[in-house]
């Protein structure tokens, strides 16, 4: 699946988490393409749409740490900006329980193309 962007474009990343049970102590890591940088660069606790979590942007990924995830669908969003032109592999998102690692899942990766302005 190919995506086309221009340097300077902002992207809203939406991670949809579906669970069949309540979960505690969950780590979500969203790997990103080298051309994309987070708009928010400081780690902090956040609350969105009924979820509370620690948000930690890093060099190659953005990490989310949840004390509790409710049963059903949850959505986490953050913003990236395209900083350089080229074709890149965007990583996948991986979610896993800290204390029961057999509870894990991942998304698909994709290719993106970023063009000059």
């Amino acid at each position: 699946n190919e995506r086309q962007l221009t340097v300077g474009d902002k992207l809203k990343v939406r991670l949809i988490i579906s669970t069949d049970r309540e979960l505690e102590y969950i780590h979500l890591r969203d790997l990103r393409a080298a051309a994309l940088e987070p708009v928010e660069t400081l780690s902090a606790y956040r609350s969105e749409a009924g979820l509370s979590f620690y948000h930690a942007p890093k060099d190659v990924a953005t990490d989310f740490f949840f004390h509790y995830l409710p049963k059903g669908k949850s959505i986490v969003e953050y913003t990236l900006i395209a900083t350089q032109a080229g074709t890149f592999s965007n990583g996948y998102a991986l979610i896993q329980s800290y204390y029961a690692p057999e509870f894990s899942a991942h998304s698909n990766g994709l290719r993106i193309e970023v063009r000059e302005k």
Side-chain angles (χ1 to χ4, degrees), residues 4-16:
Q4 220 174 67
L5 302 165
T6 303
V7 172
D9 283 353
K10 287 187 178 179
L11 296 88
K12 180 164 279 201
V13 177
R14 176 177 287 160
L15 302 169
I16 301 170

Side-chain angles (χ1 to χ4, degrees), residues 14-77:
R14 176 177 287 160
L15 302 169
I16 301 170
I17 305 163
S18 296
T19 63
D20 63 353
R21 66 193 77 203
E22 295 178 347
L23 298 169
E24 292 182 327
Y25 303 106
I26 302 298
H27 176 215
L28 170 61
R29 171 168 268 202
D30 187 33
L31 298 163
R32 64 176 169 271
L36 304 176
E37 292 295 329
V39 171
E40 295 178 38
T41 57
L42 298 176
S43 298
Y45 282 99
R46 293 173 53 183
S47 289
E48 292 179 4
L51 288 178
S52 294
F53 53 89
Y54 189 74
H55 169 248
K58 305 281 187 194
D59 287 339
V60 298
T62 299
D63 292 305
F64 300 89
F65 301 93
F66 301 90
H67 173 71
Y68 171 79
L69 268 177
K71 179 181 177 178
K73 265 191 188 172
S74 300
I75 297 175
V76 176
E77 295 180 333

